[in-house]
Amino acid sequence: MSHSTPTSQPATPRPERARRHRQLPPGPSWHTAAWNTVRFARQRLRFLQELRERYGDLVTRPSVLGPWTLVFHPDGVRHVLQENHFNYRKGGISNKSLSRTLGNGLLTNNGDSWLHQRRLIQPAFHRERLAAFGRLMTESALAWIEEESLDTRQPLDLFQEMSGLTLSIVGKALFGTDMLAHKERVLQATTTINQLLAQSFYVPGLLSLPTPQRHRLYEARNTVYTIVDELIAKRRQASTENDLLTMLLQARDEKTGEGMTDQQVRDEVLTLMVAGHETTTNALCWTFLLLSQHPHIESRLREEYQQVLGGRAAQMEDLPQLKLSRMVLEESMRLYPPAWAFARSAIAEDEINGYIIPKGAYVLVFPATTHRHPDFWERPDVFDPERFSPERTAGRHRFAYFPFGGGPRVCIGNQFALIEAQLILATVLSRCQFRLLPGANVVPEPLITLRPRGKLLMTIHRQGG
Ligand code: HEM
C-alpha cells in the first residue's frame, strides 16, 4: 500500500527496510507494557498523540492485554475499514466487552449473520423514512424548549438533557415508543456500561472474572433488558405500528421461514437504542460547548438561522441552506468525534505500508487522533468550521475525517444522526443560548464514546427572554 499524500515520519524506519525485514510496526519496547497501560488508562488522547509523534503513523503498542496495532494515517485507516475489510472483523477485547452488554446486534456481529441483519435493518434508514423522522426531531426539540424548567436560568446538565431528547427521538422513530418514562434508568445504565467497558480495556480480567464491576455491569445491562423486553412483549401482542420493531418481529428467513428469536430482536433493539442516542448526545454537547466558547461563530450561526428560517421551525428541506450550521457540526465532530476509537481483529496476516500485521492482531483506528493529524489539518486544535467549506474540503483524503467510520460497516445511522443533530441545533439555538458556569473547565473523557467528564453544567437563556 502506498501513501497517496506525502507525510514526514522522522522516527519511523523506511518502508523498504521494513518490507525487507518483515517487521512489526515500531513502538515502545515490551518491558514498558505495564507503564504503557497505566498511561493509556490515565491520558488516552495525549498518549496516543505522543505515540504517533514518536513512532509514526503505524505503531505497535505493548499492553498487559497483548500487542495492539494503532493505525493513525488515513491510508492505513482506509486499508483496514474499506480496501481490505474482508481481513478485518469485529473482534478482540472491545468486541468481547461490547457483546457482554449489547449481545450480538449489528454493532458486534460478523459475517453472513451481520450482512443478513444489516440488509434487514437498512430500509428503516431510507430517505423517505428519514423525512418523517425529521418532523419528529424538530417537534421533540421544540417540546424540550417548552419545558418549564428551561426558564429557570438555573444551570442544567446539558448532557443529561440532550440524552433525554435523543433517547426519546430514537425510541419514537425506530420503536414507536416514548422512552421518556425510562429516561433516568436508561441514562444511568448506559453511563455505568460506558465506564466499565472502557475500564476493561486496561484492567485484565475485570469483566471476565466474577468481580464487583462485572456484577454492576450485569445489573445495568439487566435494567435495559427489562425495558427492551417489555417493549418487545407489548408489540408482539399488538403490532399496529409500521416501524423497525414491527419489521424485526415480522422478518422471516428466506430459506427456513423462521423468525428471529426474542434474544436476537432484543440485541438489535438494544444496539440501536444505545448506539443511536449516546453518540448524537455527545456531538450536540460538544457543539453547544464550542459555540459558547466562540461567540462570534455563534452569532453568525444565529444570523444564518434568521435569514433562512425567519423564526419558523427548521425542517429537513431547510438543511441544504443551513451551510454554516452543517460546517459547525462537522468541525465539532472533528475535534471531538463521539466514536473516538474503534477496533478490528486481523483474520490473516497482512501488510500495511511495508509492516507486518500479524494474524489475530488487535487493530485500532482513532478518529480522535487522525482528525488532528498535522499533515492533514492546519492548526489542528483550532475550532474553524470553514475547514468544511466545499473549497477546503475538495481534495481532502476521504479518511482524514471519518466520524462515522467507513467501508461496509459505516454507521447505519449516519444520515439519521446528521439530520437529527442539525435540526436540534437549529431549533434550539434559534431560541436559546447556553453558557458555561464561570470557571468551569470541561475536559473530554474517552470512554467507549467521547464524553465531557462529569456534568456539563450550563445556564440556558431563552433568546429575548
Ligand atoms: C453523531 C452520531 C453518531 C456517530 C458519531 C456514530 C459513529 C459510528 C461509527 C464510527 C460506527 C462504525 C464503528 C466501526 O466501524 O467499528 C458506527 C456504527 C453503527 N452505528 Fe453509529 N454513530 C452515530 C449515530 C448513530 C445512530 C443515530 C444510530 C442508530 C439510530 C447508529 C447506529 C449504529 C449501528 C447499528 C452501527 C453498526 C453498523 C454495522 O456495523 O453494520 N449510530 N457508528
Side-chain angles (χ1 to χ4, degrees):
M1 192 194 76
S2 68
H3 282 173
S4 54
T5 315
T7 60
S8 53
Q9 290 192 326
T12 309
R14 293 161 64 87
E16 296 74 23
R17 202 181 130 220
R19 197 166 288 131
R20 247 196 351 260
H21 293 282
R22 291 179 53 78
Q23 286 173 342
L24 290 176
S29 70
W30 275 98
H31 62 262
T32 63
W35 172 235
N36 262 284
T37 305
V38 172
R39 289 262 356 246
F40 183 74
R42 286 199 189 145
Q43 291 180 306
R44 256 156 271 184
L45 298 177
R46 176 155 354 138
F47 179 52
L48 288 167
Q49 195 180 331
E50 281 172 20
L51 286 178
R52 190 195 60 70
E53 282 165 5
R54 178 134 190 227
Y55 298 102
D57 283 324
L58 199 60
V59 175
T60 304
R61 178 178 94 79
S63 94
V64 288
L65 296 166
W68 294 8
T69 306
L70 317 180
V71 183
F72 297 125
H73 195 283
D75 280 353
V77 177
R78 176 173 59 201
H79 181 82
V80 172
L81 298 185
Q82 187 172 303
E83 286 170 349
N84 201 21
H85 69 87
F86 283 116
N87 193 45
Y88 294 92
R89 69 200 298 275
K90 295 283 183 108
I93 169 94
S94 49
N95 213 49
K96 225 185 200 166
S97 295
L98 274 173
S99 334
R100 275 180 201 282
T101 34
L102 298 180
N104 199 26
L106 215 47
L107 197 62
T108 47
N109 203 343
N110 273 303
D112 288 346
S113 166
W114 164 77
L115 188 61
H116 179 264
Q117 296 297 94
R118 174 105 187 184
R119 287 192 176 139
L120 192 77
I121 292 171
Q122 193 80 55
F125 294 92
H126 279 171
R127 225 188 141 65
E128 60 278 13
R129 307 260 343 177
L130 292 178
F133 297 162
R135 283 187 288 282
L136 164 73
M137 289 161 180
T138 302
E139 279 164 21
S140 305
L142 282 171
W144 177 72
I145 296 167
E146 285 314 311
E147 274 178 34
E148 260 173 64
S149 58
L150 292 192
D151 247 350
T152 61
R153 300 203 175 199
Q154 292 298 315
L156 287 174
D157 180 357
L158 198 61
F159 187 87
Q160 183 93 358
E161 294 296 321
M162 287 299 121
S163 293
L165 179 55
T166 55
L167 182 66
S168 144
I169 290 174
V170 90
K172 284 189 202 155
L174 300 182
F175 313 122
T177 182
D178 193 343
M179 305 289 299
L180 269 182
H182 308 297
K183 181 175 108 177
E184 306 295 331
R185 280 193 299 155
V186 173
L187 299 186
Q188 207 164 22
T190 39
T191 301
T192 306
I193 291 169
N194 211 338
Q195 282 168 344
L196 291 175
L197 294 193
Q199 269 181 32
S200 73
F201 296 160
Y202 49 86
V203 184
L206 187 80
L207 302 178
S208 48
L209 300 171
T211 55
Q213 285 86 349
R214 186 167 83 173
H215 181 69
R216 275 180 57 214
L217 180 80
Y218 287 168
E219 254 179 13
R221 183 190 68 179
N222 292 343
T223 304
V224 266
Y225 274 2
T226 312
I227 296 167
V228 172
D229 287 349
E230 255 173 44
L231 177 67
I232 296 172
K234 261 197 206 151
R235 188 59 70 82
R236 279 213 192 276
Q237 282 162 11
S239 91
T240 49
E241 307 280 340
N242 173 26
D243 59 14
L244 179 64
L245 183 53
T246 303
M247 247 162 71
L248 292 174
L249 291 172
Q250 291 178 349
R252 293 286 171 271
D253 189 284
E254 277 170 21
K255 286 185 199 134
T256 63
E258 274 178 31
M260 279 185 225
T261 60
D262 273 0
Q263 173 74 48
Q264 273 175 303
V265 178
R266 178 211 264 170
D267 291 353
E268 298 300 359
V269 170
L270 195 57
T271 297
L272 287 160
M273 204 173 91
V274 173
H277 90 275
E278 160 87 25
T279 40
T280 318
T281 296
N282 281 300
L284 283 163
C285 285
W286 291 118
T287 308
F288 285 128
L289 179 69
L290 283 163
L291 287 171
S292 79
Q293 292 166 334
H294 298 84
H296 59 292
I297 297 178
E298 193 184 56
S299 329
R300 281 183 50 212
L301 199 53
R302 285 188 207 289
E303 275 166 34
E304 179 174 272
Y305 292 143
Q306 188 54 36
Q307 248 170 29
V308 175
L309 305 170
R312 69 178 167 78
Q315 296 303 336
M316 216 171 112
E317 304 73 55
D318 298 314
L319 296 183
Q321 275 88 265
L322 297 175
K323 295 194 170 64
L324 180 60
S325 189
R326 167 79 182 228
M327 291 194 288
V328 163
L329 186 66
E330 287 183 315
E331 174 69 344
S332 152
M333 288 195 293
R334 182 186 70 82
L335 286 171
Y336 300 104
W340 66 281
F342 42 97
R344 297 288 188 270
S345 167
I347 294 170
E349 184 182 294
D350 192 15
E351 188 184 304
I352 299 183
N353 204 26
Y355 293 107
I356 296 300
I357 309 297
K359 178 178 173 179
Y362 184 53
V363 179
L364 290 110
V365 297
F366 300 94
T369 314
T370 305
H371 287 186
R372 295 186 191 222
H373 195 308
D375 292 344
F376 297 89
W377 304 96
E378 247 174 59
R379 299 188 304 148
D381 297 333
V382 173
F383 177 60
D384 171 15
E386 297 296 334
R387 296 175 199 276
F388 287 93
S389 67
E391 305 77 56
R392 287 175 65 187
T393 306
R396 183 173 295 144
H397 196 303
R398 155 69 184 89
F399 283 91
Y401 182 69
F402 59 111
F404 294 105
R409 302 217 56 162
V410 69
C411 174
I412 200 170
N414 66 354
Q415 288 308 319
F416 184 103
L418 282 172
I419 294 168
E420 179 183 19
Q422 288 177 92
L423 288 175
I424 293 179
L425 203 60
T427 310
V428 171
L429 267 187
S430 313
R431 292 161 181 81
C432 307
Q433 196 173 40
F434 299 87
R435 287 294 172 257
L436 262 186
L437 298 187
N441 180 27
V442 181
V443 291
E445 182 166 37
L447 300 175
I448 302 298
T449 52
L450 190 61
R451 287 178 160 209
R453 175 164 295 159
K455 291 183 179 204
L456 181 55
L457 289 180
M458 294 186 98
T459 47
I460 304 184
H461 309 273
R462 279 166 180 271
Q463 280 296 87

